[in-house]
Amino acid sequence: MSLQQSPFARKLGAFVALSGEELSALDRLHSRRKTFPAGRDMVHEGQVNQSAYILASGWVCSYKLLSGGTRQIVDFQIPGDFLGLRSVLFRTADHNIEPVTKVEASEVLVEDLLATFGKTPRLGTAVLWAASRDEAMVVEHLVGIGRRDARERTAHFLLELGARLKLVGLGTALGYACPLSQYMLADALGLSAVHINRVLRELREDGLVTFQHGKVEIHDLDGLVLLADFDRHYLDHDGPLLK
Amino acid sequence: MSLQQSPFARKLGAFVALSGEELSALDRLHSRRKTFPAGRDMVHEGQVNQSAYILASGWVCSYKLLSGGTRQIVDFQIPGDFLGLRSVLFRTADHNIEPVTKVEASEVLVEDLLATFGKTPRLGTAVLWAASRDEAMVVEHLVGIGRRDARERTAHFLLELGARLKLVGLGTALGYACPLSQYMLADALGLSAVHINRVLRELREDGLVTFQHGKVEIHDLDGLVLLADFDRHYLDHDGPLLK
DNA sequence: CGACGGGACTGATCTGCCTCAGTTCACGAT
DNA sequence: ATCGTGAACTGAGGCAGATCAGTCCCGTCG
């Protein structure tokens, strides 16, 4: 275990216990560091031959635009997350990617990735697991939008985000820094910004969570978990699954 | 090209042009044929060490149950689709799978799958593409539930289903057989069955589609595409992408 | 300094969809 | 023939969340 792990290494380490050799193989993937300013799209839907990225710092969101001008945010990515894996496989991006904050990311060439997996197959397993978890999150998101009301949905979202951030060392069970505006929350949760605002006020007045000044503070974890019908296990585990 | 291709071979063939050798490697995956009656779950959420399946005939749906008793159908699978790939990777199923009709499916052991990919890597590519397309469909579904109204959502769903069925030779641009009840449609689209019924009536009265007696008939394809904001390209293509 | 702009926040009104409570019809079992 | 069941279908009434039209606050820029 090194003192200063990258969020990516930290996240994969939660799935598969990593050796020193595997950790340095990961480090080598981080050579082509790039930065992106907040707000200007990194990837547009339809673009071909995009690179994949590993997010080192900052937040981004993946979204789709509809003809009516509305948008749906599919997911947020936080440090340690893989970006645009599907777009690479498919050769053409099927969604837009916008940095929420200033972002640092490592460009990953497919050939480097495959070579790394060839030499250290357990890393391949770990990345596959991480990708499966991301897919599971999209599914959970779908379920939430389809069948949970605004309060439940918001509560679930904040809990899930907290669990993800905790995994990469950017938050605790009690709170975390969150650069999202209420507009972005609305676009992610399929609600209007006006309604998000009221829901956040309700959750605050009920003593469950506050989300103000870029900080989420969880005041009643059990109450929130109950409201959201949140499965603590599906993101949460202590120690790697594969030793 | 064999005369009688399985739906799975037909679908993969749309992504990657397959040689005779590759086709027979596919056939060998179909040895452990099983059948399942309609209505009784094949897989329950939380089950461990499930097999994966390739659907040979019949329809199934993947869904999640919420604490309130409601359910959200995440996706339907039709012949040629892969079943439970994520559950296998993750070792434990994160959703339920219920046959909509009587179903025939080939059980696929992970080791057989990996061995096949080792010998015929282009098949691996094709399966990966198919999996990416499935993931893209879940994303599109999410967008629909989040930001499309009931009419658009229903129209989009019927078009997408048609495109998928056409790919495996079970439908045309004008219509297809569809064993889904309005209740299932409701659970998939995040609506009530009552409302689905009214929406279907409206679409029928507007001369766009009819869905009656297990048959979907598209009467005004352009109108429907326009209403649904349907991207004809993302599922539709003539001839394999990789020669 | 004042102007400007973007985010948080609010009240009033409207509406899409849900819920409840049915009816009708087709079909399989008794 | 009758019963039961499950799917399609309908009307009435209610409500969650959208939309409209703002105000207030704060940070930034000329």
Side-chain angles (χ1 to χ4, degrees):
Chain A
M1 300 299 126
S2 74
L3 292 175
Q4 190 64 13
Q5 285 187 353
S6 72
F8 189 52
R10 184 168 179 143
K11 180 174 147 192
L12 294 189
F15 293 113
V16 175
L18 297 174
S19 69
E21 191 197 338
E22 284 158 347
L23 284 171
S24 46
L26 274 189
D27 272 352
R28 254 169 276 130
L29 282 180
H30 281 290
S31 53
R32 308 168 146 262
R33 186 64 61 101
K34 295 194 175 185
T35 75
F36 300 87
R40 189 144 78 265
D41 280 6
M42 297 167 61
V43 178
H44 284 290
E45 192 171 342
Q47 268 185 338
V48 295
N49 289 326
Q50 267 312 119
S51 302
Y53 296 93
I54 297 167
L55 240 198
S57 73
W59 294 35
V60 310
C61 68
S62 314
Y63 68 95
K64 285 199 165 207
L65 250 19
L66 294 242
S67 61
T70 57
R71 75 167 178 175
Q72 175 66 44
I73 292 178
V74 175
D75 202 3
F76 296 101
Q77 272 79 37
I78 59 173
D81 283 347
F82 220 106
L83 226 58
L85 192 52
R86 197 173 63 247
S87 296
V88 169
L89 286 175
F90 232 55
R91 306 274 297 173
T92 142
D94 67 342
H95 57 263
N96 308 281
I97 298 184
E98 176 191 317
V100 171
T101 64
K102 187 188 165 206
V103 153
E104 288 182 297
S106 305
E107 188 175 7
V108 180
L109 305 179
V110 198
E111 47 268 32
D112 288 352
L113 191 66
L114 295 178
T116 305
F117 290 171
K119 266 176 278 178
T120 50
R122 287 161 56 90
L123 282 182
T125 307
V127 169
L128 201 55
W129 275 6
S132 296
R133 199 203 60 156
D134 290 351
E135 208 186 323
M137 275 183 354
V138 173
V139 167
E140 193 60 39
H141 193 174
L142 171 69
V143 172
I145 292 191
R147 290 297 176 202
R148 280 191 256 261
D149 70 22
R151 283 173 59 111
E152 296 167 351
R153 218 182 293 176
T154 307
H156 196 278
F157 176 82
L158 294 175
L159 283 170
E160 186 183 272
L161 208 46
R164 292 172 66 185
L165 287 163
K166 189 178 153 206
L167 194 62
V168 289
L170 292 174
T172 71
L174 297 177
Y176 50 89
C178 176
L180 305 176
S181 71
Q182 296 186 349
Y183 288 89
M184 291 186 189
L185 238 67
D187 282 343
L189 297 178
L191 298 166
S192 69
V194 172
H195 200 60
I196 278 286
N197 183 281
R198 296 194 232 268
V199 168
L200 287 176
R201 173 156 53 78
E202 281 178 38
L203 294 177
R204 196 187 318 135
E205 286 169 359
D206 292 350
L208 293 166
V209 239
T210 56
F211 178 11
Q212 283 171 318
H213 319 299
K215 286 217 175 310
V216 173
E217 287 171 37
I218 296 175
H219 295 114
D220 179 359
L221 182 59
D222 291 341
L224 209 56
V225 166
L226 192 68
L227 168 64
D229 187 26
F230 184 72
D231 179 0
R232 306 176 99 114
H233 297 293
Y234 99 105
L235 292 178
D236 216 23
H237 49 246
D238 307 307
L241 300 173
L242 188 68
K243 292 288 186 324
Chain B
M1 299 298 129
S2 75
L3 290 175
Q4 190 65 11
Q5 285 188 356
S6 72
F8 189 52
R10 185 167 179 145
K11 179 174 146 191
L12 294 190
F15 293 113
V16 175
L18 298 174
S19 69
E21 191 196 336
E22 284 158 346
L23 285 171
S24 47
L26 274 188
D27 272 352
R28 254 169 276 133
L29 282 180
H30 280 291
S31 53
R32 308 167 149 264
R33 185 65 59 102
K34 295 194 174 185
T35 75
F36 300 87
R40 189 143 79 266
D41 279 6
M42 299 168 59
V43 178
H44 284 291
E45 192 171 343
Q47 269 185 338
V48 295
N49 289 328
Q50 268 312 120
S51 300
Y53 296 94
I54 297 167
L55 240 197
S57 73
W59 294 35
V60 310
C61 69
S62 315
Y63 68 95
K64 285 199 164 207
L65 251 20
L66 293 243
S67 60
T70 57
R71 76 167 178 176
Q72 175 67 43
I73 292 178
V74 175
D75 203 1
F76 295 101
Q77 272 78 38
I78 58 172
D81 283 347
F82 219 105
L83 227 59
L85 192 54
R86 196 171 66 247
S87 296
V88 169
L89 285 175
F90 233 53
R91 307 274 298 170
T92 143
D94 67 342
H95 57 263
N96 307 282
I97 297 184
E98 176 189 319
V100 171
T101 64
K102 185 186 166 209
V103 153
E104 289 183 298
S106 305
E107 189 175 5
V108 180
L109 305 179
V110 198
E111 47 268 32
D112 288 352
L113 191 66
L114 296 178
T116 304
F117 291 171
K119 267 176 277 175
T120 49
R122 286 161 56 91
L123 282 183
T125 308
V127 169
L128 201 55
W129 274 7
S132 296
R133 199 203 60 156
D134 290 352
E135 208 186 321
M137 274 183 355
V138 173
V139 168
E140 194 59 40
H141 193 174
L142 171 67
V143 172
I145 292 191
R147 290 296 177 204
R148 280 191 256 261
D149 71 21
R151 284 173 57 111
E152 296 166 351
R153 220 183 292 175
T154 307
H156 196 279
F157 176 82
L158 294 175
L159 284 171
E160 187 183 273
L161 208 46
R164 291 172 67 184
L165 287 163
K166 190 179 153 204
L167 194 62
V168 290
L170 292 174
T172 71
L174 297 177
Y176 49 90
C178 177
L180 305 176
S181 71
Q182 295 187 351
Y183 288 88
M184 290 187 190
L185 237 69
D187 282 344
L189 297 179
L191 298 166
S192 69
V194 172
H195 201 60
I196 277 287
N197 183 282
R198 295 194 230 272
V199 168
L200 287 177
R201 174 158 51 81
E202 281 179 37
L203 294 178
R204 195 188 318 136
E205 287 170 358
D206 292 352
L208 294 166
V209 239
T210 56
F211 178 10
Q212 282 171 318
H213 319 298
K215 286 218 174 309
V216 173
E217 287 170 37
I218 296 175
H219 296 113
D220 179 358
L221 182 60
D222 291 340
L224 209 56
V225 165
L226 192 68
L227 168 64
D229 188 25
F230 185 72
D231 178 358
R232 306 176 98 114
H233 297 292
Y234 98 105
L235 291 179
D236 216 22
H237 48 249
D238 306 307
L241 300 174
L242 188 67
K243 292 289 186 319

